Amino acid sequence: MAEFKTTEKVVGVNGNLMTVEFTDRVMQNEVAFARVGDAKLKCEVIRVRGNRADLQVFESTNGLKVGDEVEFTGELLSVELGPGLLTQVYDGLQNPLNLLAEKSGFFLQRGVYLRALDRERVWEFTPTAAAGDKVRAGDAIGWVPEGIVKHRIMVPFAWKGEWTLREVKPAGEWKIDDVMAVAVNEQGESRNITMTQFWPVKIPITDYAEKLLPEKTLITQQRSIDTFFPVAVGGTFCTPGPFGAGKTVLQHAISQHAEADVVIIAACGERAGEVVEILREFPELEDPRTGQPLMNRSIIICNTSSMPVAAREASVYTAVTLAEYYRQMGLNTLLLADSTSRWAQALREMSGRLEEIPGEEAFPAYLESLIAGFYERAGLVKLRTGETGSVTIGGAVSPAGGNFEEPVTQATLKVVGAFLGLSRERSDARRYPAIHPLESWSKYHSVVPLEELDFARRILRQGSEVNQMMKVIGEEGTSLDDFLVYLKSEFLDYVYLQQNTFDAVDGATSAERQRYMFDRIYKVLAGSFTLPDKDTARRYFLELRQLFMDWNYLPFNSEEFKKQEAGIEAKIAERSTVNA
């Protein structure tokens, strides 16, 4: 625990907001501890006015009263960075929940804070720098194996200027608190480098050469995403949707199959039942890369809706700081925050207690800038070594009643690069993933040619219009040409947009297979067919649809796959008027 700088007195308590009158200096985002009996409750300065500071308390404030002591640390709210983060489940303050449960039992005690990393674990260190080398903040002096990741031991990000290594530990087994190197700066100041360092969660890590424009598609192996609403490596996206629309299943599918090196899940304020589902199911997911549990390259930050609201904000920033840390190793990290709506609700509650002028729906007026600041920490960067690393951020939004016009969704849409809107209508119809094909959009590059994609989107839009018209005037009032457009849009929806996440083959479609399949589907969408009446057309497209759907479940380029494709080609040739 941190050394205490000053001790001050509480002059007001309002829920989890505490006001302290101070005589010495305090700073924004400084950490303090409020004494309640034998417990010390962690809190953070969120506003300073004159000689009074308002602090948000990360624990229940029961028993806290005017006159109680508050000990200021002089340090910002920070996380510990080092080997051993992967496979961990933390709360928003980076307490390992497994160890907390062992210490406190089923009901977590107030004022219990544990070190984030195992101090006794031994790591196999391999040096990559030597005495006499010149280094700067973020430069690696060696690495240790952490699962499939080469975890770099780096010069602390907070160090300024150039340093000369005086000594570096040889290869061997060391603990994270052992001194791995000693460095001296130009002023002759000597500092030790261990395997760990601390970094303030609300300050982005910027020890890189250049921030690049995200252009490369992040392959998630979800057809509707990679083809129609792609996400870029280092980009941002959001998945708003009502309760029960399949956000959690989609999140698991993206985590499991996306081409990312490290996955971080931030469960910030979700209901306890949903968080339990994540904690039970996520460790069981198999990593397709290694065949080992996906948890081996993942971190879960967990704060349920029953925990104090202030901790939700901390959990979001803790998660993105860990993502930036692994990005500094030249890795591609994927951060999935579920859900940013609960984080915004915590901001609204704290804003109300601060008696700030409310914005729309009582959210703070600065909601948009906070959400933008969070998503702006995503990005593709070029490190000083010439390597690239990235943080891709996907935020789930839970608008009340699925209303996408509410402030959190609208503020998110202004800053993200892709919008994957989940639809109640599609989930009720069991069309999963329930991403609405007409309301969703993306600014990034698809895995298929743009001209073909635009044509397919036009078919979907026209098919939807015909479907709405048929609900009013009936099928008999629709021309055969319009009916064919409707059948083609339904064909595209069933055979491509829908995907069985729980099937070993259909659950993950490679970019190569997506391009191959879409080329065949495009020929059907653009093709002309001899279909004399609606009944013949309906029967033909139902049969063709089933052939394609069966094709989805066959391993790519297997004998069965090629045999099924031959059957599809023969079926198309039956009615085609043009040699596709």
Side-chain angles (χ1 to χ4, degrees), residues 466 478-488 529 531 534:
V466 174
T478 309
S479 69
L480 180 59
D481 286 344
D482 283 347
F483 190 65
L484 282 175
V485 171
Y486 165 70
L487 289 176
K488 286 181 177 181
F529 299 91
L531 298 165
K534 292 173 184 173

Side-chain angles (χ1 to χ4, degrees), residues 35 156 186 199 225 237 326 361 369 417 466 547 554:
R35 284 187 175 275
E186 294 170 351
W199 185 259
I225 297 177
F237 66 99
Y326 280 97
E361 291 190 22
S369 63
V466 174
L547 287 172
L554 300 174

Side-chain angles (χ1 to χ4, degrees), residues 240-247 271 274 398-404 419-437 439-440:
F243 177 76
K247 285 196 294 289
R271 284 176 287 272
E274 294 190 27
S398 307
N403 172 28
F404 291 172
F419 165 60
L420 314 179
L422 300 181
S423 158
R424 166 70 67 196
E425 176 189 354
R426 286 184 67 82
S427 66
D428 287 347
R430 297 294 182 264
R431 299 189 179 200
Y432 292 111
I435 300 170
H436 199 293
E439 292 183 4
S440 304

Side-chain angles (χ1 to χ4, degrees), residues 555-570:
F556 188 44
N557 279 337
S558 65
E559 287 302 318
E560 297 89 345
F561 180 91
K562 293 173 182 175
K563 184 178 179 182
Q564 185 74 7
E565 185 179 10
I568 288 171
E569 296 289 351

